[in-house]
Amino acid sequence: MDTQQLLEAAQTINILRSMFADEKNEWLPVIAAIGGAFVGGVSTFLPSFLLERRKAKLEKRSVEVAIVSEISALLEVIERRMYVHDLEKEIDYLKKNPDKKVQFAVKVPAHYSQVYQQHISKIGLLHPELSAKIIRFHQLIDSVVQDIATDGVVANAGGDLKTLGELLEIFESAVTVGNEIVGERVQQKLRAEG
């Protein structure tokens, strides 16, 4: 060991001694208090933040699954009861008899969109594009329901070719948007699983 190395070792020992010296540091309690407050704040905030974030994510998923499931069920009922097909048949009849009106009525329960109605205040939790499609679907379906429900205009007074044609366009638009919503949800689920 040469002289330079001995001097460096001596300096290192002096630095270590001064660090562990018994001298009082008046800033030590302040630093300890600030450090303790910081650690306490972080340890309180972080778990709460993570729990709230998880809760919001679960609520978003729950709302999305509920609304999409209701739309899927509505589409299945529309298909199985052949509402669009029956409306097309009535339009064909009116094309052959343009001076006639046809009454087209369907008994629609008041609770047909109950899930949507219960979750409309939470629609903002969903992706904006999905929210817009869900709202559009329900507005279109509500328009159809208002016309064909037993107390609706087409159900009571009947509709001519133009009225039923417009009704069919709205109905088909609703079905298309509904299928997009349900299809996108299925695709998202497959991507998440794969």
Side-chain angles (χ1 to χ4, degrees):
M1 207 178 221
D2 66 349
T3 312
Q4 183 64 27
Q5 289 175 331
L6 285 173
L7 285 173
E8 287 176 7
Q11 283 178 337
T12 304
I13 291 172
N14 282 337
I15 290 172
L16 289 173
R17 262 193 219 153
S18 69
M19 286 176 62
F20 295 106
D22 216 10
E23 297 174 20
K24 297 262 179 183
N25 185 345
E26 62 218 31
W27 289 100
L28 192 59
V30 173
I31 292 170
I34 292 172
F38 177 76
V39 168
V42 168
S43 65
T44 301
F45 169 75
L46 194 59
S48 297
F49 172 76
L50 294 174
L51 284 173
E52 285 300 316
R53 194 166 140 196
R54 178 171 163 74
K55 181 180 170 187
K57 187 176 180 181
L58 289 173
E59 185 175 26
K60 173 187 173 186
R61 186 171 183 272
S62 172
V63 168
E64 182 178 336
V65 167
I67 292 175
V68 171
S69 296
E70 181 182 59
I71 291 170
S72 178
L74 286 170
L75 292 172
E76 186 175 343
V77 168
I78 290 167
E79 184 181 332
R80 286 185 183 216
R81 294 197 177 152
M82 298 173 47
Y83 292 142
V84 173
H85 173 72
D86 291 347
L87 190 55
E88 288 170 338
K89 280 176 39 179
E90 297 296 345
I91 289 172
D92 288 341
Y93 169 79
L94 288 173
K95 285 179 182 176
K96 295 173 188 165
N97 302 289
D99 56 326
K100 301 268 186 183
K101 282 190 169 186
V102 172
Q103 290 178 311
F104 190 83
V106 175
K107 186 172 181 177
V108 181
H111 64 278
Y112 81 94
S113 65
Q114 187 173 5
V115 173
Y116 171 73
Q117 297 302 327
Q118 288 177 349
H119 290 91
I120 189 66
S121 63
K122 298 174 185 171
I123 199 92
L125 295 174
L126 306 180
H127 189 277
E129 226 176 90
L130 178 60
S131 297
K133 285 182 179 182
I134 289 170
I135 292 168
R136 183 165 184 248
F137 170 80
H138 279 282
Q139 291 301 312
L140 292 170
I141 284 294
D142 283 345
S143 175
V144 171
V145 167
Q146 287 175 13
D147 288 342
I148 66 172
T150 52
D151 60 345
V153 175
V154 176
N156 286 329
D160 59 9
L161 181 60
K162 181 179 183 280
T163 303
L164 263 60
E166 290 171 358
L167 183 61
L168 179 62
E169 285 179 21
I170 293 169
F171 211 166
E172 287 175 334
S173 291
V175 169
T176 299
V177 172
N179 283 327
E180 288 174 8
I181 292 167
V182 172
E184 287 174 11
R185 176 71 180 129
V186 169
Q187 291 300 320
Q188 287 173 350
K189 187 176 178 184
L190 290 175
R191 281 194 296 264
E193 291 174 358

